[in-house]
Amino acid sequence: MKLALKVTEVETLSPLVKRFRFEDPTGAELPVFSGGAHITVEMPEGDIIRRNSYSLISDPYDGSAYEIAVRREDQGRGGSLYMHTKVSEGDEITVSTPSNLFQLDLRARKHVLIGGGIGITPFLSQLKQLDMEQKPYELHYAARTRDEAAGLKLLPEAAHIHVHISDEGARMDIGAILDGQPLGTHVYTCGPEGLIEAVADQAARLNWPETAVHSEAFTAPPPGEPFDVVVKSTGQSITVKADQSLLEALEEAKVKVEYSCRGGACGRCQTKVTTCDGRILHNDHWLSEDERGAQQDIMPCMSRFKGTRLELDL
Amino acid sequence: MPNTEFTPSIPSRPTYTGLVSQGAAPAIMVADEAGAGALIDLAASDASVMDHAHVVLIGCGVDVLRTPAPAAVHEAPDFEAATPVITQLLGEARMGTQLYLAGSEGLIGHVSAIAFAQGLPLDVIQSEHRGPIARRMQCVHCKGITEDVTTDPFTCSHCGLTLFVRDHFSRRLGVFQGVCVDAETPGVVPETVEIRP
Ligand code: FES
């Protein structure tokens, strides 16, 4: 479902990160959500609509507004730049209703939240939920410099909220964070791939069950070289532009593909490949190593192609 | 006597895959008299598994587990006495601690439910069924729990209704559910049979 909202606040949190607040133009209550949920924002430019998903950072129990924080990616394919340069207070904006791929497991006895850089965003709503439900947790936020640490303005000061600024010599020690946590603890990581892997490795080394280790890695699709894709059912050939994702190109051509996260994390857009003369550039976090190698599936929200012919079972 | 093989049933019915040593990691082990045999077999497969193990024995003596000696042994006459001990051990345990359960379905269900309530994912609890196949049954009508049910139907020890033994299992409570047999036709009760694995 889509919501037509109004931009009511735009705030610069750091040189690269802006916060946006969206409200219903009539002041109606918005659907509430759970900590870790995201919305998909529509960004119309000319005759194409770009869509990016962003974690909600506002209070899940507060239906008066949705807030997101967007980091400007100058190398990106334009979504975040659009948010930074084209969106201002008073504008109309279309977003999806929230959905959640990064839920807290509320049976856990304790929650350890680890956010790196802009990966702090899903935790901002989660910690409000944890406070509300009075669940024990600790949050670790790692950033390179204080200037880049946009999350600082959004985090409350509390004993169980730890900020690690590596330029100030306070590097995050993942081993020390995980070691000795009480039985029944769950850990959640969001941030760069390297951080997610480091936490998973450390947890495995300390014999944490895999089911207690959660992460969210969704990122905006990367740009790349243009390529062509053929839709099997109609024979139609579509060009995916450099600054467009395969999913966006299919949508522009009115080919229907299911999606949710648009960041390679949820699996919804998985599509069968019927011909592949070349190499799929898998950028998702969904397919397994074997599936990647087989080249019989592609995640159009993230992945691209290099070669002579790519035909999809659509 | 090895792990009991149960007939495959509905997904809610727990399965017990047997104990496999996770090495010298900190561990909590809970067993009844029949289950102690599974701990002995476990220790025979890898003696180091006992190095940091706290063992809770329900209704049997320490002498069943002499070598290799666990780090600590706690004895309790029954579930009720064992519950606070287990809760405390789980409460003090750190991530990485392994949980090994062996014995009756009632024991495995009961301790799993305590661990589940403390946030431990169920799939990391190892269990092995040993001994009689008696079940702990909860009456879905009065919610009372009847121990050691070996026949189907059986009489609820709390409200006296005649109940069917179902394979529906509550992970939260660690009990099977018993449903009234003769609700529609009072007094018409099928023949009582022994329950089978
Ligand atoms: S839309 Fe979620 S993986 Fe593509």
Side-chain angles (χ1 to χ4, degrees), chain A residues 19-131:
Chain A
R19 177 182 67 90
F20 298 85
R21 183 178 172 88
F22 310 138
E23 294 177 35
D24 184 278
T26 66
E29 287 274 303
L30 302 176
V32 293
F33 54 96
S34 53
H38 67 268
I39 53 173
T40 303
V41 179
E42 296 200 350
M43 309 170 210
E45 258 189 301
D47 46 1
I48 68 162
I49 299 181
R50 224 183 282 289
R51 293 184 181 86
N52 270 10
S53 296
Y54 296 103
S55 298
L56 288 162
I57 61 168
S58 44
D59 187 337
Y61 302 96
D62 178 4
S64 69
Y66 291 152
E67 293 189 12
I68 60 171
V70 179
R71 186 188 143 96
R72 199 180 78 216
E73 306 290 351
D74 292 326
Q75 308 309 322
R77 75 204 194 302
S80 66
L81 272 178
Y82 176 95
M83 291 303 293
H84 271 256
T85 56
K86 302 252 164 67
V87 176
S88 42
E89 284 175 22
D91 286 358
E92 281 175 14
I93 194 143
T94 303
V95 308
S96 68
T97 46
S99 70
N100 199 342
L101 302 168
F102 195 43
Q103 252 146 6
L104 293 164
D105 187 334
L106 288 172
R107 291 166 313 184
R109 181 156 146 217
K110 182 178 173 187
H111 304 266
V112 175
L113 317 176
I114 301 177
I118 195 66
I120 189 66
T121 51
F123 299 127
L124 296 169
S125 64
Q126 287 183 341
L127 64 90
K128 289 180 180 116
Q129 183 178 0
L130 290 166
D131 277 334

Side-chain angles (χ1 to χ4, degrees), chain A residues 286-307:
Chain A
W286 180 260
L287 296 176
S288 66
E289 270 321 308
D290 289 351
E291 287 171 319
R292 281 164 202 266
Q295 302 214 109
Q296 286 166 6
D297 291 271
I298 189 168
M299 310 307 287
C301 66
M302 286 297 275
S303 299
R304 308 185 72 87
F305 174 74
K306 201 178 169 68

Side-chain angles (χ1 to χ4, degrees), chain A residues 20-279:
Chain A
F20 298 85
R21 183 178 172 88
F22 310 138
E23 294 177 35
D24 184 278
T26 66
E29 287 274 303
L30 302 176
V32 293
F33 54 96
S34 53
H38 67 268
I39 53 173
T40 303
V41 179
E42 296 200 350
M43 309 170 210
E45 258 189 301
D47 46 1
I48 68 162
I49 299 181
R50 224 183 282 289
R51 293 184 181 86
N52 270 10
S53 296
Y54 296 103
S55 298
L56 288 162
I57 61 168
S58 44
D59 187 337
Y61 302 96
D62 178 4
S64 69
Y66 291 152
E67 293 189 12
I68 60 171
V70 179
R71 186 188 143 96
R72 199 180 78 216
E73 306 290 351
D74 292 326
Q75 308 309 322
R77 75 204 194 302
S80 66
L81 272 178
Y82 176 95
M83 291 303 293
H84 271 256
T85 56
K86 302 252 164 67
V87 176
S88 42
E89 284 175 22
D91 286 358
E92 281 175 14
I93 194 143
T94 303
V95 308
S96 68
T97 46
S99 70
N100 199 342
L101 302 168
F102 195 43
Q103 252 146 6
L104 293 164
D105 187 334
L106 288 172
R107 291 166 313 184
R109 181 156 146 217
K110 182 178 173 187
H111 304 266
V112 175
L113 317 176
I114 301 177
I118 195 66
I120 189 66
T121 51
F123 299 127
L124 296 169
S125 64
Q126 287 183 341
L127 64 90
K128 289 180 180 116
Q129 183 178 0
L130 290 166
D131 277 334
M132 176 83 171
E133 309 221 7
Q134 302 196 317
K135 299 276 184 193
Y137 72 91
E138 60 186 65
L139 180 137
H140 296 267
Y141 173 37
R144 209 140 41 86
T145 64
R146 202 158 279 273
D147 216 34
E148 269 179 31
L152 285 179
K153 285 206 180 125
L154 303 168
L155 284 169
E157 278 213 29
H160 52 278
I161 292 181
H162 309 268
V163 177
H164 309 264
I165 306 283
S166 53
D167 257 19
E168 296 174 6
R171 272 189 77 92
M172 182 160 66
D173 180 348
I174 297 165
I177 292 171
L178 295 185
D179 196 12
Q181 291 291 352
L183 192 61
T185 302
H186 284 235
V187 64
Y188 307 79
T189 312
C190 183
E193 201 89 27
L195 176 67
I196 292 173
E197 269 167 35
V199 172
D201 281 356
Q202 198 54 251
R205 202 162 301 143
L206 294 167
N207 278 320
W208 285 46
E210 268 176 43
T211 42
V213 181
H214 313 264
S215 65
E216 179 167 77
F218 79 72
T219 34
E225 281 167 37
F227 61 97
D228 289 341
V229 59
V230 177
V231 176
K232 181 162 179 246
S233 62
T234 58
Q236 184 185 4
S237 179
I238 298 165
T239 301
V240 182
K241 297 187 203 103
D243 61 349
Q244 207 177 23
S245 72
L246 170 55
L247 177 60
E248 286 165 345
L250 291 165
E251 285 171 339
E252 191 187 348
K254 307 273 182 289
V255 179
K256 190 154 167 41
V257 184
E258 295 281 321
Y259 71 85
S260 173
C261 68
R262 304 181 79 92
C266 73
R268 276 282 279 286
C269 66
Q270 187 166 347
T271 302
K272 282 271 166 232
V273 174
T274 42
T275 309
C276 175
D277 294 332
R279 200 157 53 83

Side-chain angles (χ1 to χ4, degrees), chain B residues 130-143:
Chain B
R130 295 274 182 123
I133 55 165
R135 294 188 183 187
R136 284 182 93 212
M137 298 294 307
Q138 182 187 44
C139 170
V140 303
H141 310 283
C142 80
K143 307 290 176 211

